[in-house]
Amino acid sequence: MGMTLAEKILADHCGQTEVHAGQFINARVDIVMASELSGIVAIEEFEKIKNARVWDPKKVVFVMDHFTPAKDIKSAEIVKRCREFARVHGITFFEVGRAGIQHILLPEKGMVSPGDIIAGADSHTCTHGFLSAFGTGIGSTDAAAAMALGEIWLKVPESMKFIYHGKPPKWVGGKDLILETVRKIGVDGARYQAMEFVGDALDHLGLSDRFSMANMAIEAGAKTGLFEADEKTRAFCKKAGAREGKYHRSDPDAVFSEVHEFDVEKFEPFVAMPFLPENVKPVSEISGLEIDQVVIGMCTNGNIEDLRAAAEIFKGHKTHPRVRTVIIPGSQKVYLDALHEGLIDIFIEADCSVSTPTCGPCLGGHMGVLASGERCVSTSNRNFKGRMGHATSELYLTNPYVAAASAIMGHLASPSEVIKQ
Amino acid sequence: MSFESFHSITLGELLTAQAQRYADKNFLVLGDQRWTYANAEKQAAALASGLRALGLNQGDRLAIILPNIPQFVITVFAAAKAGLIVNPINVRRHKSEVAARLDKTRPSAIVTNAEHLEMINELRGDFPELKQVISVDGGANAKAFNDLLASTAALPPTAIKPDDVAAVLYTLGNSGEPRGAMLTHKSLIGNGAGIASTLNATPEDIFLGAVPFSNAFGLTPTILACTVAGASLAPLPTYHAAEALALIEKQKVTVHHGVPTMFALELNHPNFKSEACATLRVGIMSGAACPTELVTRVRQLMHCNLILAYGLTEAAPSVTMTHLQDGPITASQTVGRAMEGVSLKVIDENGDTLPEGKEGELCVKGYNVMTGYWNDSQATAQVLDKDGWLRTGDLATIDADGPVKIVGRKGDVINRGGYKIYPGTVEMVLRSYPGVKEAAVVGVPDAIYGELPCACVVRSAGANFSGEQLMLFATERLTDYAVPDRVVFFERLPRSGSGAIRRSALRERVRIRGHAWKFGKNIDTDAIIPARHCNTSDARELATHCMEDADPNFIKKMKRGDVIVAETNFGCGSSREVAPISIKTAGVSAVIAKSFARIFFRNSINIGLPILECPQAVDGITEGDEIEVEPATGTIRNLTRGETYRAEPFPDFLQRIIDRGGLLAYVEERLAERN
């Protein structure tokens, strides 16, 4: 019986030649990752384990990215505790000035290779599927256990195949493909499934588009979201100095629980309306809705390609006087590249604030928390009630083109309203 | 034999006296090493001086984190000579538990070994009064135990009286927090002497040190009874059945104390040979219910005339013991009579003394009762009255001629429509049925009777009797209302670290009843919290905020036994386990979810919260419905609508994690396997 890409990666990590959906396994992990938020609880759990040692300090990574640079004393204390733990156990530790958002940072540092299992105490760890790694979110107790054992327990998920046909129109990117996918199947549509993304449309898109898609697999309830590794993957990993990795692909007779096909030529930029990522409409249907804030970057669209997209719209324009715009590069490297390419100049001239890399406002932490009744267009991945601030605030999820156009127009806007084609 | 002369001395004086009497006799034996009574006295005296020379003063606390090794024993006597109060802590305690105990008594010094130094050094910052760390086998940032043994300093004048506190032993309060029972020299030695007398112990005896020295059972009946008798002690640093058996044979052990599990492990071990235990003469079995069948096997196969005993840390510890000359019923089915100098009574809920034969809470008074809990007058007042009676929290009957039967813990009594059922009585009958390996009886909620007794039974390998057969057997032997309403079979019973059955966990495995709370798609506990309260490391604080955000009155409305019916997107991220921890904190007993969904599901399992996978139940239940859940069988009943749903049974793998109370215990097992 053929195996899916997900099954092949898992089999490779539990010493078996074959595993299939429904099976319980203990899988060896290549990286255990936590932020300060999940790390602090993981540390407390880890210290409860009698005689526990970190199984392999090089493979345990703490990235301080949620409330950093520390937004208040409590955050500073949490980071301090994580820093001390990292020092004592010799694990890899990234923070202010040397960091970025974990899902952008680790691939960039060459720490993720195709075929790896990345267990992260952050639900968006599924992002690493953009490099064909089985990334999956775990809890803090899980993280503590994985830090001690170097493995996690897993139920092998079923896989769903998503096939995208055609060439995406202008202003349409990976974010729109995943928003439309979540709309179609719903926020539970891929519950405990591995989403496998394929199709010729991907040939027209870059790795940063794959990044946005894998990142939001969890928004459909998926265990992970995977792409087959190809030459683009190989080039990225080589540049980052990553290990060679393993280039698995699903067998022709692999069993998929569902197959969904999309004609992306009919797509236009999409918007996920409050309060669920499945509540998706084409931007043309809802343009005109007045907004107060725009946030561009963070993890989902925080790569250099995303900032280039935003800058393409902002160039020669200003943020609407009623609106405030926050740009958040995903890592120090992305920030520096943006600086070298002149993108930061464009943003500042467009009255945008440019922040240090942080998850910040995405989870209502800092750097742009919303007041009651405020409306924000964001390139992030979740728009649940209260996600970016007050419970009555509203969040609209879009790609960076739409976010930038909305900032300029002062209302939800299609990029074509700013740039006439 | 009587040891009355020891009743009015201190622990320091006890060793001095024995060193004069039995100077060259072996006191402690570990491998090829020997400590005579004279050696031990010399080392204890030098260590006492050395400890005082480090700046410790009379009345200071001295913590001990050591396995069962001779240095533990030397330290106990040295502390007594120096006027220090010992606080032993079990070596198996993890860091947070050690911290909780140090926090209680704030010791000035700690005697430990290299294995624990890293943890202690990490904790030192939080305990500024912990001035000295002494290691028996070297290591960084610690004074060497052997250097202190070489101390030539004179011991400063120390006035210690038998009524002074010699040890603070940690025990657990009702909510699991540690409490320090203060025991005097007099209570400890008096109790040790009483035990030595009951054992008919002599200088010819060789005691096995199997029970951890850090608890009262290891301290008094083992170390002190041995010392009082002038006998030898062969400690077992870490208990393994095979090593215990080897040591018994090698050292020709005559006295073997243990909890029932130890004896069962030894008898069932492939290395067990009856003839290798020929030197065994006597021993105490205590610490948990002692199955009659096991007692009989130990007496027959190990040649060990077991004494059954009842005690508690707060009573130094022994309260009652059977005697070697007792008849078979008393010797097998009771915990014996009150020890000399100890008074007993049984009281009802109003505190009134009950007549002989009536079941009620056992109270103890005597020289052996603690003077109180260290620095905790409130907890002391809850258990110790002004006349010196200690409430044990154990339910017992006292027969006319004195033997005591323990029938259970106060909180374990089952109330079946007004009839009180004592699980211990029922369990004893169930255990006598052939093929019953373990049995525990717990009360489960019932609409008519309030509670019904349910038998949770583990069958021996090969046994295949039915629940009906066992109930028929019980019907012939028990009052009708005490017969279990039903029998549920388990692979194993959930137990705490000390081996006690976790009855609350068992109760909730059998049946949970309460109201349903529905959570909708929009509640993302991972997201709402950060917006306002997230930057705290206290998961429970997060939990409170989490539920407040979801529903401001959630925690107030929630009652133990209630269940959460989780819509599918519930707790979508929750990588910090806010959702399951908050649910558990709020008192929810189980979760019914649509599927093996997301991180929430695994997090629930990882913290030991039962979660049932049943889409039909999620669809069929409306908020407020009265729900009954039986996690052990996967049955969900909607009592409001008269519907029954079947949940997917847990795979064995997940059940193992839940049974252990969460993932961490499972990790420890895996780590132990690797080592």
Side-chain angles (χ1 to χ4, degrees):
Chain A
M1 186 172 156
M3 285 198 287
T4 62
L5 171 54
E7 287 167 343
K8 285 190 178 177
I9 297 175
L10 295 179
D12 188 42
H13 284 76
C14 67
Q16 296 188 38
T17 48
E18 219 173 277
V19 299
H20 290 288
Q23 211 175 319
F24 280 88
I25 57 166
N26 274 310
R28 189 170 49 72
V29 296
D30 296 288
I31 291 282
V32 181
M33 176 177 75
S35 69
E36 73 273 27
L37 233 58
S38 55
I40 187 72
V41 182
I43 289 171
E44 285 173 12
E45 295 304 297
F46 181 84
E47 289 180 346
K48 287 181 192 164
I49 303 171
K50 172 86 179 152
N51 293 334
R53 295 277 179 276
V54 171
W55 118 95
D56 185 344
K58 283 194 220 62
K59 294 182 178 177
V60 177
V61 187
F62 276 13
V63 184
M64 306 294 100
D65 60 3
H66 278 62
F67 288 164
T68 51
K71 76 181 179 92
D72 53 23
I73 294 169
K74 278 187 171 180
S75 314
E77 293 291 343
I78 287 174
V79 172
K80 182 180 169 193
R81 186 89 207 283
C82 292
R83 191 185 299 118
E84 284 167 1
F85 181 87
R87 183 182 50 74
V88 168
H89 293 273
I91 65 170
T92 311
F93 183 78
F94 294 104
E95 66 168 325
V96 181
R98 298 170 193 90
I101 300 170
Q102 50 193 316
H103 311 303
I104 293 187
L105 184 75
L106 265 63
E108 184 183 281
K109 295 278 181 193
M111 300 175 83
V112 180
S113 297
D116 282 357
I117 293 183
I118 313 295
D122 184 284
S123 59
H124 291 106
T125 307
C126 51
T127 307
H128 300 272
F130 88 101
L131 288 182
S132 204
F134 189 102
T136 194
I138 56 172
S140 292
T141 304
D142 266 324
M147 276 152 56
L149 288 176
E151 55 184 48
I152 57 169
W153 66 267
L154 282 172
K155 182 182 169 188
V156 177
E158 290 183 307
S159 292
M160 290 168 83
K161 190 186 271 190
F162 297 85
I163 310 171
Y164 302 89
H165 300 288
K167 186 183 176 196
K170 181 78 174 155
W171 317 127
V172 170
K175 183 68 164 281
D176 302 293
L177 269 58
I178 191 67
L179 285 178
E180 171 60 9
T181 306
V182 175
R183 183 201 66 75
K184 186 176 178 197
I185 64 171
V187 292
D188 300 318
R191 194 175 55 225
Y192 211 84
Q193 302 275 322
M195 297 172 85
E196 191 176 328
F197 306 107
V198 298
D200 60 278
L202 300 179
D203 298 340
H204 305 284
L205 295 168
L207 275 186
S208 65
D209 294 290
R210 295 185 194 179
F211 184 103
S212 305
M213 293 173 73
N215 176 272
M216 287 189 70
I218 182 71
E219 307 316 327
K223 188 74 180 162
T224 191
L226 289 166
F227 290 83
E228 276 179 5
D230 58 12
E231 286 314 309
K232 286 181 189 167
T233 322
R234 195 183 299 277
F236 177 96
C237 291
K238 194 176 173 194
K239 196 174 166 198
R243 287 174 289 109
E244 170 67 15
K246 289 196 177 170
Y247 288 63
H248 301 288
R249 48 182 62 228
S250 292
D251 289 327
D253 59 340
V255 176
F256 289 90
S257 62
E258 288 178 30
V259 178
H260 293 270
E261 300 197 42
F262 300 85
D263 179 2
V264 303
E265 296 193 358
K266 294 183 182 146
F267 281 18
E268 63 168 295
F270 292 109
V271 182
M273 315 274 289
F275 291 103
L276 281 181
E278 71 178 18
N279 196 6
V280 171
K281 293 203 162 85
V283 68
S284 56
E285 280 185 27
I286 41 144
S287 62
L289 200 65
E290 282 193 4
I291 58 166
D292 303 287
Q293 179 172 292
V294 170
V295 185
I296 297 171
M298 299 160 289
C299 67
T300 317
N301 290 101
N303 282 295
I304 187 68
E305 294 85 347
D306 299 304
L307 298 193
R308 283 179 198 140
E312 187 181 336
I313 307 292
F314 271 123
K315 189 163 189 181
H317 296 276
K318 291 253 182 225
T319 293
H320 189 277
R322 200 186 55 250
V323 175
R324 45 193 198 269
T325 303
V326 184
I327 307 280
I328 306 181
S331 71
Q332 288 287 98
K333 182 176 183 304
V334 172
Y335 201 150
L336 190 62
D337 288 349
L339 194 65
H340 289 158
E341 292 181 21
L343 309 184
I344 303 295
D345 292 18
I346 294 171
F347 294 140
I348 291 176
E349 281 163 13
D351 291 346
C352 304
S353 89
V354 183
S355 154
T356 186
T358 178
C359 305
C362 170
L363 70 163
H366 63 148
M367 279 290 177
V369 174
L370 298 172
S372 58
E374 287 193 323
R375 205 171 271 153
C376 175
V377 173
S378 169
T379 64
S380 53
N381 43 36
R382 280 191 186 143
N383 59 350
F384 303 125
K385 202 167 186 174
R387 174 76 183 180
M388 197 176 271
H390 195 276
T392 62
S393 62
E394 294 179 1
L395 208 49
Y396 296 77
L397 309 178
T398 70
N399 72 29
Y401 295 114
V402 174
S406 304
I408 294 161
M409 301 306 292
H411 56 80
L412 255 167
S414 168
S416 54
E417 289 185 45
V418 178
I419 296 178
K420 310 295 175 198
Q421 293 176 49
Chain B
M1 186 173 179
S2 170
F3 299 104
E4 277 173 16
S5 59
F6 292 120
H7 281 213
S8 298
I9 60 171
T10 67
L11 285 169
E13 290 163 346
L14 168 66
L15 185 61
T16 306
Q18 299 303 63
Q20 285 164 5
R21 201 170 302 173
Y22 305 109
D24 297 327
K25 185 172 180 321
N26 284 334
F27 176 28
L28 304 166
V29 181
L30 181 70
D32 298 330
Q33 293 177 280
R34 300 280 183 276
W35 282 255
T36 63
Y37 272 91
N39 284 148
E41 164 68 5
K42 193 176 159 201
Q43 290 197 351
L47 182 59
S49 305
L51 288 167
R52 291 294 295 267
L54 289 177
L56 301 190
N57 296 314
Q58 187 172 345
D60 283 354
R61 272 75 60 214
L62 174 69
I64 307 176
I65 305 183
L66 285 176
N68 284 10
I69 54 174
Q71 289 84 345
F72 190 116
V73 180
I74 303 290
T75 304
V76 167
F77 288 108
K81 288 175 188 291
L84 307 174
I85 298 169
V86 290
N87 299 159
I89 298 174
N90 193 307
V91 287
R92 293 179 64 181
R93 297 264 174 228
H94 50 67
K95 189 175 161 189
S96 60
E97 294 175 316
V98 171
R101 282 154 182 76
L102 296 180
D103 190 41
K104 205 78 207 166
T105 50
R106 297 268 158 184
S108 305
I110 188 161
V111 178
T112 186
N113 58 3
E115 189 190 339
H116 295 91
L117 279 181
E118 188 183 328
M119 170 184 72
I120 290 161
N121 284 328
E122 283 169 22
L123 287 172
R124 274 180 100 161
D126 296 332
F127 298 98
E129 53 284 89
L130 183 58
K131 287 176 286 203
Q132 303 291 347
V133 174
I134 299 137
S135 168
V136 300
D137 53 1
N141 298 328
K143 297 257 177 345
F145 185 87
N146 285 341
D147 290 351
L148 297 187
L149 291 185
S151 170
T152 51
L155 187 68
T158 311
I160 312 157
K161 300 182 295 298
D163 286 329
D164 289 341
V165 174
V168 172
L169 301 187
Y170 299 105
T171 172
L172 292 181
N174 291 335
S175 54
E177 76 290 355
R179 294 167 168 181
M182 296 187 282
L183 299 170
T184 63
H185 293 264
K186 183 177 173 179
S187 61
L188 289 165
I189 299 179
N191 205 244
I195 295 163
S197 171
T198 308
L199 295 170
N200 279 347
T202 73
E204 304 310 312
D205 275 316
I206 296 159
F207 283 61
L208 178 68
V211 181
F213 289 167
S214 54
N215 70 31
F217 193 10
L219 180 61
T220 313
T222 312
I223 299 176
L224 298 183
C226 170
T227 313
V228 164
S232 302
L233 173 60
L236 195 56
T238 307
Y239 180 83
H240 292 293
E243 289 176 26
L245 290 168
L247 199 57
I248 289 167
E249 187 175 12
K250 183 178 175 209
Q251 299 294 351
K252 300 187 171 27
V253 168
T254 61
V255 181
H256 177 7
H257 305 326
V259 293
T261 310
M262 288 178 173
F263 289 103
L265 287 172
E266 289 160 24
L267 280 169
N268 295 337
H269 198 279
N271 294 0
F272 176 77
K273 292 194 298 272
S274 182
E275 59 276 19
C277 297
T279 54
L280 285 182
R281 182 178 70 75
V282 70
I284 298 170
M285 185 192 278
S286 190
C290 303
T292 309
E293 186 202 349
L294 179 64
V295 172
T296 308
R297 285 177 69 209
V298 173
R299 285 179 179 149
Q300 286 174 353
L301 300 175
M302 297 182 85
H303 318 288
C304 184
N305 196 355
L306 278 184
I307 283 175
L308 306 189
Y310 165 78
L312 65 168
T313 304
E314 289 87 341
S318 298
V319 173
T320 68
M321 296 179 90
T322 60
H323 286 257
L324 294 171
Q325 60 274 23
D326 280 337
I329 302 272
T330 302
S332 304
Q333 295 178 17
T334 78
V335 289
R337 297 176 171 83
M339 298 184 59
E340 205 179 325
V342 176
S343 307
L344 301 178
K345 67 176 180 180
V346 165
I347 60 170
D348 64 15
E349 289 151 4
N350 304 318
D352 295 328
T353 305
L354 290 167
E356 286 157 352
K358 290 284 178 197
E359 289 170 333
E361 185 178 0
L362 185 66
C363 298
V364 184
K365 185 177 170 178
Y367 71 89
N368 58 329
V369 170
M370 67 168 182
T371 59
Y373 292 116
W374 181 269
N375 222 358
D376 196 344
S377 52
Q378 207 181 342
T380 303
Q382 282 168 9
V383 299
L384 204 55
D385 73 13
K386 57 181 177 358
D387 299 324
W389 284 101
L390 171 75
R391 296 179 73 141
T392 64
D394 287 311
L395 297 166
T397 62
I398 306 178
D399 288 352
D401 57 344
V404 174
K405 282 184 191 153
I406 302 294
V407 291
R409 285 291 295 172
K410 219 160 70 180
D412 297 337
V413 176
I414 300 159
N415 189 334
R416 179 184 196 151
Y419 287 105
K420 300 275 172 58
I421 302 167
Y422 298 93
T425 318
V426 184
E427 286 161 9
M428 199 178 290
V429 169
L430 297 179
R431 278 196 214 101
S432 66
Y433 188 77
V436 171
K437 191 176 167 200
E438 287 183 276
V441 177
V442 294
V444 296
D446 181 80
I448 295 170
Y449 292 98
E451 261 189 320
L452 283 174
C454 170
C456 305
V457 173
V458 180
R459 284 179 281 209
S460 310
N464 196 27
F465 58 87
S466 67
E468 289 72 27
Q469 285 171 295
L470 184 61
M471 272 154 67
L472 187 66
F473 175 82
T475 306
E476 289 163 0
R477 288 163 179 79
L478 288 166
T479 325
D480 57 355
Y481 62 79
V483 175
D485 178 51
R486 64 202 183 119
V487 176
V488 178
F489 293 107
F490 286 82
E491 234 178 76
R492 64 166 91 180
L493 300 180
R495 288 179 184 278
S496 67
S498 64
I501 292 170
R502 292 172 54 225
R503 285 176 190 272
S504 56
L506 205 47
R507 219 171 276 136
E508 297 204 337
R509 283 279 301 284
V510 175
R511 186 181 291 171
I512 296 159
R513 167 163 326 177
H515 289 90
W517 297 90
K518 271 221 159 181
F519 272 70
K521 284 182 172 183
N522 283 350
I523 291 168
D524 171 46
T525 49
D526 193 36
I528 291 174
I529 315 311
R532 292 182 273 289
H533 324 284
C534 206
N535 50 354
T536 168
S537 64
D538 182 348
R540 273 153 193 84
E541 190 187 329
L542 286 171
T544 309
H545 292 313
C546 168
M547 286 307 162
E548 281 171 0
D549 278 339
D551 172 351
N553 294 312
F554 181 86
I555 287 185
K556 282 184 213 145
K557 290 192 283 191
M558 190 67 56
K559 291 193 183 67
R560 186 92 212 147
D562 283 356
V563 297
I564 291 277
V565 179
E567 288 286 5
T568 46
N569 203 32
F570 179 64
C572 162
S574 282
S575 49
R576 287 171 312 132
E577 303 170 5
V578 170
I581 290 175
S582 55
I583 284 170
K584 216 177 171 187
T585 308
V588 169
S589 299
V591 174
I592 303 166
K594 248 188 182 169
S595 86
F596 192 90
R598 307 197 179 191
I599 307 174
F600 175 72
F601 196 109
R602 62 182 298 129
N603 284 348
S604 299
I605 290 162
N606 287 344
I607 65 167
L609 175 70
I611 178 160
L612 290 94
E613 186 177 13
C614 186
Q616 300 85 352
V618 175
D619 291 337
I621 295 169
T622 307
E623 177 149 311
D625 285 353
E626 195 179 8
I627 305 295
E628 198 169 82
V629 177
E630 297 181 0
T633 60
T635 309
I636 302 166
R637 293 189 195 92
N638 187 334
L639 302 176
T640 307
R641 289 160 197 275
E643 292 171 354
T644 299
Y645 322 97
R646 290 273 162 204
E648 290 293 323
F650 272 135
D652 288 348
F653 175 74
L654 298 188
Q655 193 62 60
R656 278 211 301 278
I657 294 175
I658 292 177
D659 283 349
R660 284 159 179 74
L663 185 65
L664 297 185
Y666 172 78
V667 171
E668 285 182 6
E669 278 180 30
R670 292 292 309 278
L671 288 174
E673 280 168 22
R674 286 187 190 176
N675 295 332

